[in-house]
Amino acid sequence: MGILSGTDLTAQEPMEGKQSSKFAQQLAQTQKDFEKILASELSVPLPKDMAGGFSHEQHKRNWIYLQTGANLYTLTGEAKYANFVKNLLFAYTDLYPGLGLHPSRKSYAPGKLFWQCLNDANWLLFASEAYGNIRASLSMQEQEQIEQKLIKPMADFLSIENPRFFSRIHNHSTWACAAVGMAGLAMDDSSLVSKALYGLKHTQSFEGQEDNDGGLVKTRKEEGFLAQLDFAFSPDGFFSEGPYYHRYAIYPYLIFAKELNRKKPELQILAYRDSILKRAIFSLLNQTDANGLVFPINDAQKGMSWNSRGMIAAVNIGYAYMGKSPVLLEIASKQDKVMLTEAGRIIAKDLQKSNGKRQLRPSISFRDGWDGSKGGLTILRAASTPDQELCMVLKYSSHGGGHGHFDRLSYSLYDEQGEVFQDYGAARWVNIDQKGGGRYLPENKSFSKHTIAHNTVIVNRTSQNNGKIGKAEDVAPYVYHARENKEDYDLVSVVDSLSYKGVKLHRTVIMLKDPVFPKPLLVDLFRGSSGAKADWELPFWYMGQMIKCSPPLHQEDKLQALGKSYGYQHIWLEAMSNVSVANNHFSWMANKRIYTMYSWNPEGDKWFMGRLGANDSNFNLRRDPVLIQSKEDKKEVLFINCIEAHGSYDYASEIPASPYGMIEGIEKNYDSKKYLCITIMHKSGRSWRIIQANENPSEEQNHKLEIDSRTYTWKGPYHIITKSKNANKDE
Amino acid sequence: MGILSGTDLTAQEPMEGKQSSKFAQQLAQTQKDFEKILASELSVPLPKDMAGGFSHEQHKRNWIYLQTGANLYTLTGEAKYANFVKNLLFAYTDLYPGLGLHPSRKSYAPGKLFWQCLNDANWLLFASEAYGNIRASLSMQEQEQIEQKLIKPMADFLSIENPRFFSRIHNHSTWACAAVGMAGLAMDDSSLVSKALYGLKHTQSFEGQEDNDGGLVKTRKEEGFLAQLDFAFSPDGFFSEGPYYHRYAIYPYLIFAKELNRKKPELQILAYRDSILKRAIFSLLNQTDANGLVFPINDAQKGMSWNSRGMIAAVNIGYAYMGKSPVLLEIASKQDKVMLTEAGRIIAKDLQKSNGKRQLRPSISFRDGWDGSKGGLTILRAASTPDQELCMVLKYSSHGGGHGHFDRLSYSLYDEQGEVFQDYGAARWVNIDQKGGGRYLPENKSFSKHTIAHNTVIVNRTSQNNGKIGKAEDVAPYVYHARENKEDYDLVSVVDSLSYKGVKLHRTVIMLKDPVFPKPLLVDLFRGSSGAKADWELPFWYMGQMIKCSPPLHQEDKLQALGKSYGYQHIWLEAMSNVSVANNHFSWMANKRIYTMYSWNPEGDKWFMGRLGANDSNFNLRRDPVLIQSKEDKKEVLFINCIEAHGSYDYASEIPASPYGMIEGIEKNYDSKKYLCITIMHKSGRSWRIIQANENPSEEQNHKLEIDSRTYTWKGPYHIITKSKNANKDE
C-alpha cells in the first residue's frame, strides 16, 4: 500500500493553477457566509447549559468558527480571518483561567467549558488546529497569552488532571490524546506531544468505575494515541463500538495523524500497524448502505451518513494521503462537501476528471477485538445492476462497551433504497434538548439495547447474558463458515454458545444468486438447542407496511404489552396467529419495494405482530412494527425463513412490478444432530436443495448422506444442489 | 389567452433540425426498450381476472404497446412499428367479436376486455389513437377488418349499449366520450364523433342507481363531451372529485381535444367555455405540493404526482397549444418524461433554453360547482426562499360524488418536503391484488371517508351529514372572507351551517407573515355553536414523531379503540391528558423539520393521542398518529391554535436549528357573539392582536370595539394590530 506523504497548504504557498469547481464553489460560499460571523459580536458565555442549551451550543459554534476562520486564512492569506481567530481565542483567555468544573456535574468526567471533558477535548482539538494555522501571524506576546492562559492549561486539564478520561482505550480518550497532541504540535511543545502519543504513565486504577453510558472506565497499561491505534481497532480496522462511534472517533485520529505526518514524518504514523488508519477508513465506509447511511449498530442515531464531518475527513484524507482509491473518489462525488484543506483540494480536483462510474462494494467480513479474536461483522452485498442492491449485515462482534447492544447473531437487511429489516439503533435524539437534554433516553436501556429489539433469537424472554455488560464483554461468537463474492452464493454461518447459559445458537445466512431472481434470495437458517425446554422467539423488525400474511391474524379488542421486562414491556401485541400449516408467508412493502418472507413452521408455532409504544407516554420510541415467530417449550428448534425481494410499485403509474413472490414452498427433508437438509421450490419448477453439516466446519471433510433414497456426497460443511425445471439431473 | 393551433408530427414530415436532448434521449431509450416487445410473442389472453390479475394487466400493457408502437412509427417512419401495431390490433379482432361480458360481474357497468367498462374505454382510447396514426399504412381490407371487428363494435358497446356508463357527468363518461370520439376521428366516422360530442339523446333514467364507489348514476339532459366540459369543471377549472381523479380524467379530455383541434379546428375546442381546458390544467397543477405530489383530497392514493401520464400530458399539451407558460416549463423540467409526440418535442426544445428559474406559485382559491356556487378550495402558499415553503389547503367544496369525503373545513399543511398535517387519502392499494384486488378496501368507508379522518371539527362523534352522500352533495359551505398574496397576511374564513343539523361552524385560517418568522405563522380559529349542548373534537393528523407535549400525558396499560363507529373504531387511544392550564403546546418533528402547535384551552379541555390500527387485523390502514382536542358538553366552543414552523435538524452534523418555537403565549381578550379578539405574544416582545367580526363579512362595514379599556376602530371583518417590543404604539 502506497502511503503518500502529505503537505498542507499554507498562506505562503500559492494555490495550484485552476481550482477545482467543487472546492472553489465551497470556498467562495464559505467566505460569503463567514462575512456574517466577522460582522457579529463574539459570544463567549459562561458555561452553564447541558447539550442543546445556549452556552453549550455557542461554544460548539465557536470551535467551528475557529476552524473555518483559520482555514480561510490559510487559503486566502487575508489578515481579517487571522484577526478573527486571534480575537476569539483572546476572548477565551479571559474566560478560561477563572473556570472551575462545569456546574452540571452529570458526567463521570466533567469538563470546564462543557458538561463533559469530551466536549472540552473537541474544543481543544479544533482550537489547536486553528491556532497552529495562524500562529506565525501573531507576536510573541500574543502567542504567549494564548498558549499560557488557554491551550496549555486546557491540555493539562484534559490529560494529567483527568487520567480517568485520558487513559482509556475508548473514543473519549482518542479525542483527548488527539486534542492534547494537536495542542503540542501547534505550540511546538514536545512534552505534550509525547504525553499524547505515549500516555501519562500514571499508576491510578479505575477498575469498577463506569462512564455515563455504562461503559467501564478500566484502563490497561498501554495508553496514549499509539495505544489507541493498537487496541481500539481490530486488525481489519473494525471499531468495537460500531460505525456510528467509529465515524465520531475517526476524526481526531485523522486530524492528528495528518498533522503528525507533516510535522513528525519520521514516525510514519500512516503506515503504523500495517496501515491501521487506512484499514479503519475502509472498514467505516463499508459499514454504510447504498445511500451512505451508517449501519445503526449498537447505540447509534439513525440518519448519520457519509455527509458527516468524520466521514468527509475519512474520504478526503484517505484519498489524498493513503493511495488514491477510486472507491473514495466515487463516495466523494456523493458527499455534500469537501474539506477546506489541501486534502479537500486534492480530491475535488480529481473529482473533475472522474468518470463517475459506480464502484460496487463486495461482500466483506471484519474481525473484532484488537487481536482479531472477538467475533466480528459480515456484510453480504450483491448488486445485479448499479441501482439494484441487496445488503445483509450480520453482527457477531464483541459487546461494544457501554454502547453495545445484546444483539448477537442479529442481522439487518438493506436494499438500494434503505432498510428492509432494521436495527432499531439508539433511543436518543442527539442534541434535542426537549428529549432528555439530547442524551440517551431511559428507553435506550429499557428497550433499544435488549435482544428483542434486534433480529435474533431470544430465549425465555430474557436478553443475551441477562442484559449484563460485564459478562457480555468477555465472550464472542465464532464463525462456523464464510463464503464471499462467489457467483452462485455467499454465505456466513456463526455459532454462539455463550450468550445464553446452556444454549447453542447457530445461524446461517445464505445469499443465493440465481438468474431467476432479480436480487438474490436470502435464506436464513437458525438452529437452537438447549439442555432444558425453553421458549424461543425470532423477531423481524420489517420496515414498511404489511401487504399480506398467510396465516390468519387475530386482533384483540384491547391491546396489551407483550411482557413486563427485557424490552417486551414496550411492545404492544397488535395481532397474532396460531400457525397451522407448514408453509407460510408474509409480504410487505418497504419504500416502493415489495418483499415476501417464506417460512417453514412445525405445528405449534405462533406468529405475533408487535408494535412499539407501550409504556412510553412520552413518545420516545418510534411506533415501528415487528413480526415475531415463536416456538414454545422446546429443547431443539429450527427457524427456516427465505426472504425474496421480488416486486416494486410506481406511484405515478400505479403499476406494481412482480407483486407476487415466486417461491412455491419450502420442504424440510432432513434434520438430525449432524445434518440439516431443506429444499426451496420456485414456481418455475426450479429448486435448491441446501444441506448443512451441523457439527463439522472443516472444508476438507467428506460427507455422505441419504435423503429420500438418494445419496449425496460432498466435501465441506455446505452443499447446495440446484435442480432445473423438468430436469432429472442436478445442475 | 393565445391558443396556438396544434399540428401533429406525421411520418411524412421531417423532424425539425436538432432534436432536444430530453426528447431525443427518451426516444432513443424507448426504441431500445421496444425491441424486446417487438421480439416477444403477442399475448392477448381471454378476459378473466380482476385488476392486478394477469389478463387485466396484460390488456393494460397492450394498450401501452399500441400507443408506443404508433408513436415510434410516427416519429421514425419505420414499418416494423406499424406492423407491430397492426398485428396486435389483428389479434384483438380475433378475440373481441366472440366476447360476452367479463365473467367477474362486479361492476355497475361490466366491460368485455376488463371487469369494468372504464378500462375498456381506456383501451379503446389508446387503440384508436394508435390506429389513427398507422391507418394510412394499411390496405383498405386491413382497415375494414380492424374497424368493423374491433373499433366500431367496441365504440358501440361503450356508448349506445351502455348509456348508464356513457351519459353521466363523471370521469367514467369522459373516458367513454373521448374513446368513442377518438374512434370516430380515427375512422372518419362523423356519426361516432357526433355521439361523442353531443351524447346519445337517449331517454333512459338511472335515478337512484349507484356505481361501485357509492356515486349516483344519475344523468342530466346534457350529455357528451361538450357537456362534460360544461359541467364537470367549475368556472375556475376545479374538478369536484378532487385532483387525484382530475389527473385521471384530464388525459382523455386533452387527447381528444388535441385531436379535435387538429381535425375539426372549426370547433375551437381549446377556447371552449372561456378556455376551460387551460383552466382545468392550471387548477390541477396548483393542487400539488412543492415536490409535485397531488393533494390527496377525497379518495386518492398518496404518491400520485406530476410524473403521472395525465399530468405530463397536461403540462406538454398545455404548453404547446395553450400559451407557453413558464410555470409549465418549470414543471416539465422536474417531470421524469415528456410525451413522445409533437407537444413533447415542443416543450423539450424550450426546456433547453429555459433558465430553470423557480416559478413561485401564489395563494389561490377555486370555486366548485359547474356554476361556481358550491363552495371551493383555498390554497395559501408562502415561500420565503425557493426551498422554504409553507402551504395550507382548506377544503370547503361540494361533496365530490362517490369519491367524496366528509371533510368540510378541514385543511392539510405542507412544507417544502411534504406533509405536516395530512389528509389520510383513500384506504386503497391501487392494483395491488393482495389488498382486496386493488380496489377500495372496506376501511375506505369505515374510516377514510369519515370526518374524524380529517383535520376538522367532529360534533358528537358522528360524521358530517351523518356520513350520507345524498345529503352532502346538495350543500356546501360559503366563504366568509378571503385575502390572498398580501405582504402582511393571507387569510381564508369559511362558514358551514349545513353539515351538522343546528350547528354553525366557522373556521378562519391566517398565514401571518412577519420578519421574525422564517416561515409564516399559521393561526387557526375554529368557532362552533349549537342549539343543544354537544361534544366537539378537532383532530390534527400530524406527520412524524412527537417531541414534547406540554400537558402531561397518561397512557393506560391496555389500549382501547376511541369509539365504535364513524371511524372512531379504528383509532386506539394511545394516551390522554386533562389540560389544566390555558396555554399549551405540542412539538413534533416531520421529516427533519421541527414544528410547534400552541393552543389556548379553557378549563375542561382534553387532549387525546390516537393511533390508527384498531379493528384492522389485515393491516389495511397505516399506523398514523393523531392529536385530538376535545371539548365536552358545550353549546359554544372556540378552538385557538397557532402552528409555528421554526426548526430543523441535520442528521449528519446532529445539529438542530431553532429547536424551540418562539411563541410566548396566546391570550383570549374578547369573545362575544359579535367579536373575537386574541393576542399572540412572541418571545422577542412582539405581539399580534387579531380581531374578527364574527357576523358581518362586509368589507365596507365600520367597527368599533373596546378591549381592555382601549378602543379599536376599523373597517371590514378583520383587524390585525402588530406591536413591537417596548413600543407603546402599534405598527
Side-chain angles (χ1 to χ4, degrees):
Chain A
M1 189 161 63
I3 303 287
L4 304 177
S5 72
T7 55
D8 252 33
L9 263 188
T10 70
Q12 286 68 44
E13 295 174 43
M15 291 293 296
E16 198 187 291
K18 180 172 128 290
Q19 285 182 326
S20 77
S21 159
K22 194 169 185 171
F23 187 82
Q25 281 166 19
Q26 205 176 305
L27 174 57
Q29 186 62 45
T30 305
Q31 284 189 269
K32 201 180 146 206
D33 294 345
F34 208 71
E35 284 304 311
K36 260 178 274 168
I37 313 299
L38 291 175
S40 45
E41 233 172 294
L42 298 176
S43 168
V44 177
L46 209 62
K48 183 175 141 255
D49 303 321
M50 296 293 293
F54 172 72
S55 75
H56 182 97
E57 295 303 320
Q58 184 58 37
H59 290 300
K60 280 175 72 176
R61 274 188 288 273
N62 283 343
W63 82 46
I64 299 291
Y65 297 162
L66 289 171
Q67 181 186 47
T68 309
N71 282 344
L72 290 178
Y73 174 64
T74 305
L75 293 168
T76 66
E78 288 184 45
K80 64 179 176 184
Y81 298 120
N83 278 331
F84 170 85
V85 172
K86 179 182 74 179
N87 291 335
L88 188 45
L89 288 173
F90 273 7
Y92 276 94
T93 65
D94 289 340
L95 175 76
Y96 194 78
L99 290 181
L101 291 184
H102 189 274
S104 73
R105 305 295 169 90
K106 292 204 171 165
S107 168
Y108 78 102
K112 289 185 169 182
L113 290 178
F114 298 93
W115 71 281
Q116 55 175 348
C117 274
L118 174 61
N119 298 117
D120 282 51
N122 297 162
W123 196 94
L124 181 61
L125 181 106
F126 288 98
S128 301
E129 189 192 15
Y131 174 64
N133 286 340
I134 68 152
R135 191 183 186 220
S137 74
L138 303 179
S139 71
M140 286 304 289
Q141 203 188 349
E142 288 170 334
Q143 289 179 25
E144 187 162 316
Q145 177 171 346
I146 291 168
E147 293 179 14
Q148 296 313 316
K149 289 193 165 173
L150 180 63
I151 310 277
K152 181 70 163 61
M154 206 162 176
D156 288 343
F157 172 69
L158 293 173
S159 53
I160 47 179
E161 295 171 34
N162 267 296
R164 91 167 63 188
F165 168 67
F166 187 85
S167 297
R168 304 169 67 187
I169 301 297
H170 188 277
N171 78 65
H172 287 189
S173 306
T174 308
W175 276 96
C177 294
V180 170
M182 288 295 283
L185 290 176
M187 301 188 294
D188 276 331
D189 179 334
S190 60
S191 150
L192 273 187
V193 174
S194 178
K195 278 198 189 74
L197 288 171
Y198 308 110
L200 305 176
K201 318 282 184 204
H202 68 93
T203 53
Q204 289 177 264
S205 165
F206 309 104
E207 205 65 41
Q209 297 186 18
E210 284 189 10
D211 66 16
N212 295 63
D213 306 315
L216 298 174
V217 190
K218 64 181 174 193
T219 53
R220 56 191 303 149
K221 70 174 192 303
E222 301 88 347
E223 49 167 338
F225 190 73
L226 295 181
Q228 303 284 335
L229 287 175
D230 287 334
F231 297 107
F233 297 106
S234 82
D236 299 327
F238 184 81
F239 191 72
S240 277
E241 294 180 18
Y244 177 81
Y245 275 93
H246 190 159
R247 72 73 224 175
Y248 181 67
I250 195 84
Y251 190 79
Y253 276 112
L254 294 176
I255 296 298
F256 186 37
K258 185 192 63 70
E259 200 66 1
L260 280 172
N261 190 48
R262 188 159 77 99
K263 293 204 170 160
K264 292 175 78 72
E266 68 281 6
L267 259 181
Q268 294 213 48
I269 192 73
L270 300 185
Y272 187 81
R273 197 187 167 201
D274 199 13
S275 303
I276 191 66
L277 280 175
K278 181 170 180 176
R279 290 172 192 279
I281 287 173
F282 277 83
S283 158
L284 171 60
L285 292 170
N286 262 300
Q287 292 178 69
T288 57
D289 74 5
N291 301 300
L293 292 169
V294 169
F295 298 148
I297 288 166
N298 291 335
D299 283 346
Q301 178 170 272
K302 285 192 183 173
M304 181 49 63
S305 75
W306 61 34
N307 284 320
S308 61
R309 182 176 63 199
M311 292 176 81
I312 289 172
V315 168
N316 288 201
I317 292 174
Y319 185 83
Y321 308 125
M322 305 182 199
K324 302 195 167 185
S325 157
V327 172
L328 299 186
L329 197 61
E330 190 222 346
I331 293 176
S333 74
K334 294 176 176 168
Q335 287 174 324
D336 289 342
K337 290 182 189 165
V338 291
M339 297 175 89
L340 279 183
T341 64
E342 174 71 3
R345 203 185 55 76
I346 289 170
I347 199 165
K349 196 173 154 201
D350 284 6
L351 267 181
Q352 294 187 294
K353 308 184 293 199
S354 124
N355 60 8
K357 207 181 143 192
R358 182 146 187 261
Q359 305 291 324
L360 295 178
R361 291 182 282 181
S363 293
I364 193 165
S365 289
F366 300 102
R367 288 168 294 168
D368 189 16
W370 70 271
D371 58 354
S373 70
K374 288 265 182 83
L377 183 90
T378 291
I379 304 168
L380 299 185
R381 259 187 234 265
S384 50
T385 66
D387 59 355
Q388 291 279 315
E389 185 174 303
L390 196 70
C391 170
M392 189 286 317
V393 188
L394 182 71
K395 183 167 180 257
Y396 49 93
S397 55
S398 71
H399 188 69
H403 293 301
H405 287 195
F406 300 92
D407 60 357
R408 276 156 187 179
L409 272 51
S410 75
Y411 69 80
S412 313
L413 188 65
Y414 293 84
D415 64 18
E416 66 281 358
Q417 300 200 114
E419 294 171 315
V420 178
F421 289 150
Q422 70 163 326
D423 182 318
Y424 186 87
R428 182 183 183 191
W429 300 49
V430 181
N431 292 325
I432 299 287
D433 188 41
Q434 296 99 315
K435 285 287 194 196
R439 297 184 303 283
Y440 289 102
L441 293 164
E443 291 75 15
N444 196 53
K445 272 194 177 156
S446 65
F447 174 72
S448 309
K449 286 175 179 288
H450 282 295
T451 308
I452 187 66
H454 303 85
N455 306 307
T456 188
V457 159
I458 297 100
V459 182
N460 290 329
R461 297 204 165 178
T462 59
S463 284
Q464 296 171 0
N465 296 304
N466 280 307
K468 299 273 182 282
I469 295 186
K471 205 172 154 200
E473 284 278 63
D474 295 334
V475 298
Y478 67 89
V479 175
Y480 183 79
H481 187 66
R483 189 175 198 270
E484 287 163 7
N485 304 307
K486 300 290 190 245
E487 272 208 12
D488 48 354
Y489 66 94
D490 284 9
L491 179 152
V492 57
S493 178
V494 177
V495 172
D496 177 12
S497 315
L498 300 162
S499 293
Y500 288 104
K501 203 173 163 182
V503 171
K504 181 181 170 189
L505 300 171
H506 183 181
R507 187 174 217 171
T508 302
V509 183
I510 306 170
M511 242 190 208
L512 192 64
K513 305 167 187 181
D514 191 292
V516 300
F517 297 118
K519 291 180 188 174
L521 185 75
L522 199 79
V523 183
D524 176 6
L525 307 172
F526 206 138
R527 291 171 60 86
S529 59
S530 164
K533 282 189 174 179
D535 296 336
W536 311 74
E537 289 178 305
L538 178 56
F540 290 95
W541 289 90
Y542 66 96
M543 296 297 278
Q545 198 177 346
M546 180 181 119
I547 294 177
K548 183 95 187 174
C549 179
S550 72
L553 291 170
H554 171 75
Q555 189 184 49
E556 295 285 335
D557 282 348
K558 295 183 184 178
L559 296 196
Q560 295 192 55
L562 259 177
K564 297 202 178 302
S565 53
Y566 291 106
Y568 282 82
Q569 72 276 25
H570 289 297
I571 304 173
W572 296 114
L573 173 55
E574 207 177 357
M576 69 158 294
S577 181
N578 291 304
V579 179
S580 58
V581 296
N583 271 273
N584 300 284
H585 69 265
F586 173 82
S587 297
W588 74 103
M589 200 190 293
N591 203 3
K592 295 189 254 180
R593 295 287 178 269
I594 306 173
Y595 285 83
T596 299
M597 179 158 74
Y598 302 88
S599 306
W600 178 90
N601 302 94
E603 227 170 309
D605 274 19
K606 288 179 186 161
W607 282 12
F608 300 120
M609 296 293 163
R611 173 83 43 184
L612 261 183
N615 284 295
D616 180 23
S617 58
N618 289 326
F619 289 66
N620 284 343
L621 295 168
R622 299 188 303 270
R623 272 38 179 165
D624 292 340
V626 60
L627 161 59
I628 303 174
Q629 301 181 350
S630 161
K631 298 171 190 290
E632 291 174 4
D633 209 27
K634 296 269 188 304
K635 281 189 169 184
E636 311 271 336
V637 292
L638 171 62
F639 293 88
I640 305 176
N641 289 289
C642 295
I643 295 99
E644 186 188 0
H646 53 83
S648 63
Y649 189 75
D650 180 327
Y651 280 94
S653 69
E654 301 188 320
I655 294 175
S658 309
Y660 285 102
M662 292 299 285
I663 300 300
E664 181 77 40
I666 302 171
E667 281 174 4
K668 192 180 75 169
N669 311 101
Y670 195 92
D671 186 11
S672 74
K673 208 161 178 319
K674 287 183 77 174
Y675 295 104
L676 166 65
C677 173
I678 67 160
T679 305
I680 300 165
M681 278 106 33
H682 191 263
K683 285 179 184 165
S684 69
R686 204 165 171 81
S687 69
W688 301 269
R689 180 156 284 196
I690 300 173
I691 308 179
Q692 168 178 282
N694 295 331
E695 296 187 326
N696 191 334
S698 160
E699 298 190 31
E700 300 311 318
Q701 178 68 50
N702 287 305
H703 296 275
K704 186 175 172 181
L705 180 65
E706 195 182 296
I707 301 170
D708 302 341
S709 58
R710 194 177 147 172
T711 304
Y712 294 91
T713 58
W714 76 96
K715 200 163 97 167
Y718 289 90
H719 186 41
I720 298 186
I721 308 104
T722 304
K723 204 170 198 166
S724 281
K725 184 182 177 181
N726 303 326
N728 283 322
K729 63 177 177 42
D730 306 329
E731 275 187 8
Chain B
M1 186 163 65
I3 302 289
L4 305 177
S5 73
T7 55
D8 254 33
L9 264 187
T10 68
Q12 285 68 45
E13 294 175 45
M15 292 291 295
E16 196 188 290
K18 179 170 131 291
Q19 283 182 326
S20 77
S21 160
K22 194 168 184 172
F23 187 83
Q25 282 167 18
Q26 204 176 305
L27 175 57
Q29 187 61 46
T30 306
Q31 284 189 271
K32 199 180 147 206
D33 295 345
F34 208 71
E35 285 304 311
K36 261 180 271 169
I37 313 299
L38 291 175
S40 45
E41 232 172 293
L42 298 176
S43 167
V44 179
L46 210 61
K48 183 176 142 255
D49 303 322
M50 295 294 292
F54 173 72
S55 75
H56 182 97
E57 295 303 320
Q58 184 58 36
H59 289 301
K60 280 175 71 176
R61 275 189 286 275
N62 283 345
W63 83 45
I64 299 292
Y65 297 162
L66 288 170
Q67 182 187 46
T68 309
N71 281 344
L72 290 177
Y73 174 64
T74 304
L75 294 167
T76 67
E78 289 183 44
K80 64 180 177 184
Y81 298 121
N83 277 331
F84 170 84
V85 173
K86 178 182 76 181
N87 291 335
L88 186 46
L89 289 173
F90 273 6
Y92 276 93
T93 64
D94 288 342
L95 176 76
Y96 193 78
L99 291 181
L101 291 184
H102 189 275
S104 71
R105 305 295 169 90
K106 293 203 171 166
S107 168
Y108 79 102
K112 288 186 169 182
L113 290 178
F114 298 92
W115 72 280
Q116 55 175 348
C117 274
L118 174 61
N119 298 116
D120 282 49
N122 296 162
W123 196 95
L124 180 61
L125 181 107
F126 288 98
S128 299
E129 188 191 17
Y131 174 64
N133 285 340
I134 68 151
R135 191 184 187 220
S137 73
L138 304 178
S139 70
M140 288 302 290
Q141 204 186 349
E142 288 169 333
Q143 291 178 25
E144 187 161 317
Q145 177 172 346
I146 291 166
E147 293 179 12
Q148 296 312 316
K149 289 192 164 175
L150 179 64
I151 309 279
K152 181 69 164 61
M154 206 161 176
D156 287 344
F157 171 69
L158 294 172
S159 54
I160 47 179
E161 296 171 33
N162 267 294
R164 90 165 65 187
F165 168 68
F166 187 85
S167 299
R168 304 169 68 188
I169 301 296
H170 188 277
N171 78 65
H172 287 190
S173 307
T174 308
W175 277 96
C177 294
V180 169
M182 287 295 282
L185 290 176
M187 299 188 296
D188 276 330
D189 179 334
S190 60
S191 150
L192 273 187
V193 174
S194 177
K195 278 198 188 74
L197 288 171
Y198 308 109
L200 305 176
K201 319 281 182 199
H202 67 95
T203 53
Q204 289 176 264
S205 164
F206 308 104
E207 205 65 41
Q209 297 187 19
E210 284 189 10
D211 66 17
N212 296 63
D213 306 314
L216 297 174
V217 190
K218 64 180 173 195
T219 52
R220 56 191 301 148
K221 70 175 192 302
E222 302 87 348
E223 49 167 338
F225 190 74
L226 296 181
Q228 303 284 334
L229 287 176
D230 288 333
F231 297 107
F233 297 105
S234 83
D236 299 327
F238 184 81
F239 192 72
S240 279
E241 294 179 17
Y244 177 81
Y245 275 93
H246 190 158
R247 71 70 225 178
Y248 182 67
I250 195 82
Y251 191 80
Y253 276 112
L254 294 177
I255 296 298
F256 186 37
K258 185 191 62 70
E259 199 66 1
L260 280 172
N261 190 49
R262 189 161 75 100
K263 293 205 169 158
K264 293 175 78 72
E266 69 282 7
L267 258 182
Q268 295 213 48
I269 192 73
L270 301 185
Y272 188 81
R273 199 187 164 200
D274 199 14
S275 303
I276 191 67
L277 280 174
K278 182 171 180 177
R279 290 171 191 278
I281 287 172
F282 278 83
S283 157
L284 171 60
L285 292 170
N286 262 299
Q287 292 177 69
T288 58
D289 74 6
N291 301 301
L293 291 169
V294 170
F295 297 147
I297 288 167
N298 291 336
D299 284 346
Q301 179 171 272
K302 285 192 182 171
M304 180 51 62
S305 75
W306 58 35
N307 283 321
S308 60
R309 182 175 64 199
M311 292 176 81
I312 289 172
V315 168
N316 288 200
I317 292 173
Y319 185 84
Y321 307 125
M322 304 181 200
K324 301 194 167 185
S325 157
V327 172
L328 298 186
L329 197 61
E330 190 222 347
I331 294 176
S333 75
K334 295 176 175 168
Q335 288 174 322
D336 290 342
K337 288 183 191 165
V338 291
M339 297 176 87
L340 280 183
T341 64
E342 174 71 3
R345 201 185 57 73
I346 289 170
I347 199 165
K349 196 172 154 203
D350 284 6
L351 267 181
Q352 294 186 293
K353 308 183 291 196
S354 123
N355 61 7
K357 207 180 143 195
R358 183 145 187 260
Q359 305 291 325
L360 295 178
R361 290 182 283 180
S363 293
I364 194 166
S365 289
F366 299 103
R367 290 167 294 168
D368 188 18
W370 71 272
D371 58 355
S373 69
K374 288 266 182 82
L377 183 91
T378 291
I379 304 169
L380 299 186
R381 260 187 235 264
S384 51
T385 67
D387 58 353
Q388 291 279 316
E389 186 173 305
L390 195 71
C391 170
M392 189 287 316
V393 187
L394 181 71
K395 185 169 180 255
Y396 50 92
S397 56
S398 72
H399 188 70
H403 293 300
H405 287 195
F406 300 92
D407 61 356
R408 276 156 187 178
L409 272 51
S410 73
Y411 68 81
S412 314
L413 188 65
Y414 293 83
D415 64 16
E416 65 281 358
Q417 299 199 118
E419 293 170 317
V420 178
F421 290 150
Q422 69 163 330
D423 182 318
Y424 186 87
R428 183 185 182 188
W429 300 50
V430 181
N431 291 325
I432 299 287
D433 189 40
Q434 295 100 316
K435 286 286 194 196
R439 295 184 304 282
Y440 289 101
L441 293 165
E443 291 75 15
N444 197 53
K445 272 194 176 157
S446 65
F447 174 72
S448 309
K449 286 175 180 287
H450 282 295
T451 308
I452 187 65
H454 303 85
N455 306 307
T456 188
V457 160
I458 298 100
V459 181
N460 290 327
R461 297 205 165 178
T462 57
S463 285
Q464 294 172 359
N465 298 114
N466 279 307
K468 298 275 182 282
I469 295 186
K471 207 174 151 199
E473 284 278 64
D474 294 334
V475 298
Y478 68 89
V479 175
Y480 183 77
H481 188 65
R483 188 176 200 268
E484 285 162 9
N485 303 307
K486 300 291 189 244
E487 273 208 11
D488 48 356
Y489 66 93
D490 283 12
L491 180 153
V492 57
S493 178
V494 178
V495 172
D496 177 12
S497 315
L498 300 162
S499 292
Y500 288 104
K501 204 174 162 182
V503 171
K504 181 181 170 189
L505 300 170
H506 183 181
R507 186 173 219 172
T508 302
V509 183
I510 306 170
M511 241 189 208
L512 192 64
K513 305 168 189 181
D514 191 291
V516 299
F517 298 118
K519 292 180 188 174
L521 185 75
L522 200 78
V523 182
D524 177 5
L525 306 173
F526 206 138
R527 291 172 60 85
S529 59
S530 164
K533 282 189 174 179
D535 297 336
W536 311 75
E537 290 178 306
L538 177 57
F540 291 94
W541 290 90
Y542 67 95
M543 296 298 279
Q545 197 177 347
M546 179 181 119
I547 292 177
K548 183 94 184 173
C549 179
S550 73
L553 291 170
H554 170 76
Q555 190 184 49
E556 295 285 336
D557 284 347
K558 294 184 185 178
L559 296 196
Q560 295 190 57
L562 259 177
K564 296 202 178 305
S565 52
Y566 291 107
Y568 282 82
Q569 72 275 25
H570 289 296
I571 304 174
W572 297 115
L573 174 56
E574 206 177 357
M576 71 158 292
S577 181
N578 292 304
V579 179
S580 58
V581 296
N583 270 272
N584 299 284
H585 68 265
F586 173 81
S587 297
W588 73 104
M589 201 191 293
N591 203 3
K592 296 187 254 179
R593 295 288 178 268
I594 306 174
Y595 286 82
T596 299
M597 179 158 74
Y598 303 88
S599 305
W600 178 91
N601 302 94
E603 227 172 307
D605 274 20
K606 289 179 186 162
W607 282 12
F608 301 120
M609 296 292 165
R611 173 83 43 185
L612 262 183
N615 284 296
D616 180 23
S617 58
N618 290 326
F619 289 66
N620 284 344
L621 295 168
R622 300 187 303 270
R623 270 41 179 163
D624 293 341
V626 61
L627 161 60
I628 303 174
Q629 301 181 349
S630 161
K631 298 172 191 291
E632 291 174 3
D633 208 27
K634 297 269 188 302
K635 280 188 170 185
E636 310 272 336
V637 292
L638 171 61
F639 294 88
I640 306 176
N641 289 289
C642 295
I643 294 98
E644 185 189 1
H646 53 84
S648 62
Y649 190 75
D650 180 327
Y651 280 94
S653 69
E654 299 188 321
I655 294 175
S658 310
Y660 285 101
M662 292 298 285
I663 299 300
E664 181 77 42
I666 303 171
E667 280 173 5
K668 193 180 76 170
N669 312 100
Y670 195 94
D671 185 12
S672 73
K673 209 161 178 317
K674 287 183 79 175
Y675 295 104
L676 166 65
C677 173
I678 67 162
T679 305
I680 300 166
M681 277 102 39
H682 191 262
K683 286 180 183 165
S684 69
R686 204 166 170 79
S687 69
W688 301 269
R689 182 156 283 196
I690 300 173
I691 309 178
Q692 168 177 283
N694 295 329
E695 295 187 327
N696 191 336
S698 161
E699 297 189 31
E700 301 310 319
Q701 178 69 47
N702 287 305
H703 297 275
K704 185 176 173 181
L705 180 66
E706 194 182 295
I707 301 170
D708 303 341
S709 57
R710 195 179 147 173
T711 304
Y712 294 91
T713 57
W714 75 97
K715 200 164 95 170
Y718 289 90
H719 186 39
I720 298 186
I721 307 105
T722 303
K723 204 170 200 165
S724 283
K725 185 183 176 182
N726 304 326
N728 284 322
K729 63 175 178 40
D730 306 329
E731 275 186 8

